[in-house]
Amino acid sequence: MKRLCLVFMIATAAPAFAHDALRVERVQGPGFTIRTPEIARAGETVSVRGAVCRRAFAAAQPRFVRVDFVTAEGQVRNSALAPVRGVHGYRGGCGFYAAEGASPGIGGAILIGLAD
């Protein structure tokens, strides 16, 4: 009986967690790809850490990544400009960034793109 109750509790709680997830949209730049980032929440703050990797021979090295935190209504709640560190060489390699911003809330999205 206890197991049945536990399974029922987990089944009813799972949809609540599914709606709490943030969408992540990445805008790829010429010669570079943005890998799927790690996202962590701490209260009303969302931390985003990820990588920008070179995929072309002669692409110009990106210096910054712009991270927008967009609400479910489509309004930008917060923006962050994060420096890209560690893209070495002209043939390959990845640079890394980290940004923080206000949580876009339930149904919100995080937009990530290269910035100059």
Side-chain angles (χ1 to χ4, degrees):
M1 186 67 177
K2 288 182 183 180
R3 289 183 185 161
L4 182 61
C5 290
L6 180 62
V7 169
F8 181 72
M9 287 175 36
I10 292 172
T12 56
F17 295 130
H19 294 292
D20 214 18
L22 294 170
R23 281 183 303 125
V24 176
E25 297 180 17
R26 299 169 288 157
V27 180
Q28 307 298 337
F32 285 88
T33 183
I34 299 173
R35 294 201 176 158
T36 304
E38 296 176 10
I39 298 175
R41 285 189 184 182
E44 283 295 311
T45 303
V46 176
S47 299
V48 180
R49 293 182 352 179
V52 176
C53 297
R54 187 182 302 271
R55 62 183 168 131
F57 181 73
Q61 178 176 341
R63 295 178 27 199
F64 295 98
V65 170
R66 181 182 176 95
V67 181
D68 292 327
F69 301 89
V70 182
T71 64
E73 294 81 31
Q75 297 176 346
V76 177
R77 182 165 184 198
N78 199 358
S79 291
L81 200 60
V84 177
R85 305 213 187 276
V87 178
H88 298 292
Y90 56 88
R91 289 191 177 182
C94 295
F96 302 93
Y97 65 91
E100 286 187 348
S103 175
I106 296 173
I110 297 175
L111 305 175
I112 304 170
L114 300 177
D116 290 333

